[in-house]
Amino acid sequence: MSESAVDPEEVRHVADLARVDLDEEEVERFTDQFGEILAAFEALEEVPEVESEADLVNVMRPDETHDCLSQEEALQNAPESEEGYFKGPKVS
Amino acid sequence: MSAYNAFVTREAIEGSGEGPLAGKTVAVKDNISTAGVRTTCGSAMLEDYVPPYDATVVQRLKQAGATIPGKTNMDEFGMGTTTETSAFGPTENPAAEGHVPGGSSGGSAAAVAAGEADLALGTDTGGSIRCPAAFCGVVGIKPTYGLVSRYGLIAYANSLEQIGPIATSVEAAAELLDVIAGQDDHDATTRDFDEHVGTGLAEAADGDVDGLDIGVPTELLDGADEAVVETFWDAIADLEAQGASYHEVSMESLEHAVEAYYVIAMSEASSNLARFDGVRYGPTPEYEGNWNEEFAKVREEGFGEEVKRRILLGTYALSAGYHDKYYKQAQDARAWIKQDFDEALGEADVLASPTMPVPPMKRGESLDDPLTMYLADANTTPVNLANLPAISVPAGETDDGLPVGLQIVGPAFGEREIIRAGSALA
């Protein structure tokens, strides 16, 4: 396995982008593991460019109204709600 | 509680009517939504989540008269090969005690193997139905992408995953697939079942393999455990004795499947799992920070380590400067693999390999080494990348008494071919 190309700072940066807090032990473990896993992913560089035309079609439907969840049902799993809205932390 | 910890929640959901599944119990993996019955995905993040609606497959089970005896244990969000990453504890393998049941649908396969349910539904993103079927000595089918509605399945990697059946026989698995397959207005990727496959799938389980031409990709035998390879060839010899023939085929692209799979699955996961923010569902946040700080804390507490690992690696693979290096290359590999399968299936009716390159691991031994665990998915992930159908049937046991599965891969919507071939063995 190649010497890790990943350092703890990089793991912290990605964790920050992904909005997942990590403790110090996780940062340490992930630093080693990510080095190893990303080194394995390097094998993808040997893959040739492939001409591929995906067999895709648009799936359309008439724009009609249907029954949907009630506001109450949609809110039933929310830890906090207020006056029919989800309640989240302050944005800044 | 089940002796094998196969269930996260034991709560019976009764079906209605005298459909084809009347009198049968069908356990449902805990990432498939059941109205009024909690659906956890094996995660602390969804410990108290109660879906307000049924997944389409659950509606179809109920209409067919099935009783759902409970929701089965799984690797957290489907991320694992051993059913040990569940927040509700690991599942034990009823067919090989002391060993893992495979994953991520380990609870579904264990419930069927232990007789705690007649049938079960699992989900397969990179082998999560076929692996536990192989390890627990039962039958599992990963349908062609688009055959079964994913509406109500809590998404991990949308472009790869399908819901499919687990049973003790190929015929019973085919019957269950017949019930759940088909077009659904709620999932635009679904295709017409009658037009592409045709109902009455169980009729294809007639065991007739006379004249069947089987391709064996050598890349899926290289590096496999010796005892597994031996059992695999015994099963091929059995099929030969029933009138089938085989030839070896080389598919170079398959050597890159695991890497391509993990890059794509992790990238999709990093996006899909962004919804778990503690606002619409999830643990109650009681922090004083701003949105981003609370979001990151809820996710630290709610997610287990494997889930964090995959979200972070997916975020990394998609981040500026790395997208072309990882994600784009992985998509090229996916196209290459599809091309290789098209060619190989042009010269064979079906392809066969060991489902897993290794026998069931001992419990607890693979958790510290994620890369080794990922590599165990070498034979199953190519099928998801190519959107194809595949079945795992019991091929026999190693000398140590550990179950080995035979994987049979068919062309797109070739469910009849793989069911027919598989039914010659189970």
Side-chain angles (χ1 to χ4, degrees), chain B residues 49-141:
Chain B
Y49 174 69
V50 178
Y53 66 98
D54 273 332
T56 298
V57 294
V58 168
Q59 264 178 10
R60 291 189 178 170
L61 287 183
K62 285 155 80 170
Q63 280 160 9
T67 296
I68 298 169
K71 307 295 298 290
T72 57
N73 203 1
M74 55 182 285
D75 281 299
E76 187 178 1
F77 286 102
M79 299 179 184
T81 305
T82 63
T83 313
E84 293 176 296
T85 71
S86 169
F88 302 92
T91 296
E92 166 116 29
N93 187 335
E97 288 185 14
H99 293 77
V100 302
S104 66
S105 312
S108 289
V112 170
E116 293 179 7
D118 298 321
L119 303 154
L121 292 185
T123 61
D124 193 313
T125 310
S128 285
I129 288 173
R130 290 160 286 156
C131 162
F135 280 5
C136 293
V138 293
V139 174
I141 300 176

Side-chain angles (χ1 to χ4, degrees), chain B residues 178-418:
Chain B
D178 226 34
V179 167
I180 60 170
Q183 207 153 28
D184 177 17
D185 288 343
H186 289 301
D187 177 355
T189 64
T190 50
R191 309 286 283 272
D192 188 276
F193 184 40
D194 267 335
E195 183 188 329
H196 291 280
V197 179
T199 46
L201 267 181
E203 290 157 26
D206 57 13
D208 180 6
V209 290
D210 196 24
L212 183 80
D213 190 3
I214 304 169
V216 177
T218 50
E219 284 78 6
L220 302 185
L221 293 170
D222 293 346
D225 182 273
E226 218 172 283
V228 168
V229 174
E230 221 172 276
T231 313
F232 166 75
W233 284 120
D234 286 348
I236 295 293
D238 187 350
L239 291 170
E240 270 192 297
Q242 299 183 57
S245 62
Y246 81 90
H247 64 268
E248 293 190 2
V249 43
S250 176
M251 297 171 66
E252 204 192 328
S253 66
L254 298 191
E255 288 173 358
H256 299 283
V258 166
E259 293 84 2
Y261 167 79
Y262 273 97
V263 168
I264 293 170
M266 288 167 170
S267 298
E268 292 186 23
S270 73
S271 167
N272 270 323
L273 272 60
R275 72 190 63 179
F276 300 105
D277 55 9
V279 174
R280 287 156 295 166
Y281 21 68
T284 311
E286 292 193 7
Y287 319 118
E288 292 299 314
N290 68 24
W291 183 289
N292 285 339
E293 288 162 359
E294 284 205 14
F295 195 2
K297 274 185 201 153
V298 165
R299 289 154 67 80
E300 178 184 26
E301 286 177 18
F303 289 142
E305 190 161 316
E306 183 60 31
V307 173
K308 289 179 196 169
R309 190 153 37 234
R310 294 196 192 189
I311 290 174
L312 263 54
L313 283 165
T315 304
Y316 186 90
L318 292 176
S319 61
Y322 293 107
H323 177 276
D324 282 1
K325 182 177 160 73
Y326 296 110
Y327 189 73
K328 195 181 159 297
Q329 289 290 115
Q331 293 296 353
D332 273 340
R334 187 170 187 174
W336 187 24
I337 288 161
K338 277 184 190 164
Q339 218 172 54
D340 258 5
F341 268 115
D342 281 348
E343 257 172 57
L345 285 164
E347 287 162 21
D349 297 315
V350 294
L351 304 173
S353 75
T355 306
M356 297 297 288
V358 291
M361 303 82 142
K362 289 207 174 79
R363 297 178 69 177
E365 87 180 354
S366 33
L367 281 178
D368 295 335
D369 186 355
L371 184 59
T372 302
M373 189 167 79
Y374 299 164
L375 294 176
D377 299 337
N379 292 7
T380 49
T381 50
V383 175
N384 301 76
L385 291 166
N387 303 333
L388 299 176
I391 189 169
S392 178
V393 295
E397 289 181 351
T398 66
D399 291 341
D400 300 329
L402 298 173
V404 174
L406 174 82
Q407 171 176 253
I408 301 168
V409 184
F413 301 105
E415 270 74 8
R416 279 179 191 280
E417 284 87 335
I418 60 169

Side-chain angles (χ1 to χ4, degrees), chain A residues 1 5-6 10-11 14-15 17-23 26 29-30 33-34 36-52 54-55 59 61 69 73-80 86-92, chain B residues 48-53 188 256 259-260 262-263 266 278-285 288-297 299-300 305 308-309 311-313 315-316 319 322 325-326 329-330 332-333 335-336 339 368 370-371 374:
Chain A
M1 295 299 143
V6 179
E10 226 167 339
V11 171
V14 175
L17 291 176
R19 310 269 184 261
V20 180
D21 280 352
L22 299 176
D23 62 34
E26 281 176 318
R29 265 200 306 280
F30 283 181
Q33 290 169 353
F34 286 10
E36 207 185 355
I37 292 165
L38 292 169
F41 288 172
E42 300 273 326
L44 289 172
E45 278 173 20
E46 298 158 18
V47 171
E49 234 179 271
V50 176
E51 282 287 320
S52 68
D55 174 26
V59 177
R61 59 166 173 76
L69 294 182
E73 286 170 322
L75 287 168
Q76 77 184 25
N77 282 284
E80 288 185 74
F86 293 108
K87 191 176 174 187
K90 59 179 190 265
V91 175
S92 59
Chain B
D48 301 313
Y49 174 69
V50 178
Y53 66 98
H256 299 283
E259 293 84 2
Y262 273 97
V263 168
M266 288 167 170
V279 174
R280 287 156 295 166
Y281 21 68
T284 311
E288 292 299 314
N290 68 24
W291 183 289
N292 285 339
E293 288 162 359
E294 284 205 14
F295 195 2
K297 274 185 201 153
R299 289 154 67 80
E300 178 184 26
E305 190 161 316
K308 289 179 196 169
R309 190 153 37 234
I311 290 174
L312 263 54
L313 283 165
T315 304
Y316 186 90
S319 61
Y322 293 107
K325 182 177 160 73
Y326 296 110
Q329 289 290 115
D332 273 340
W336 187 24
Q339 218 172 54
D368 295 335
L371 184 59
Y374 299 164

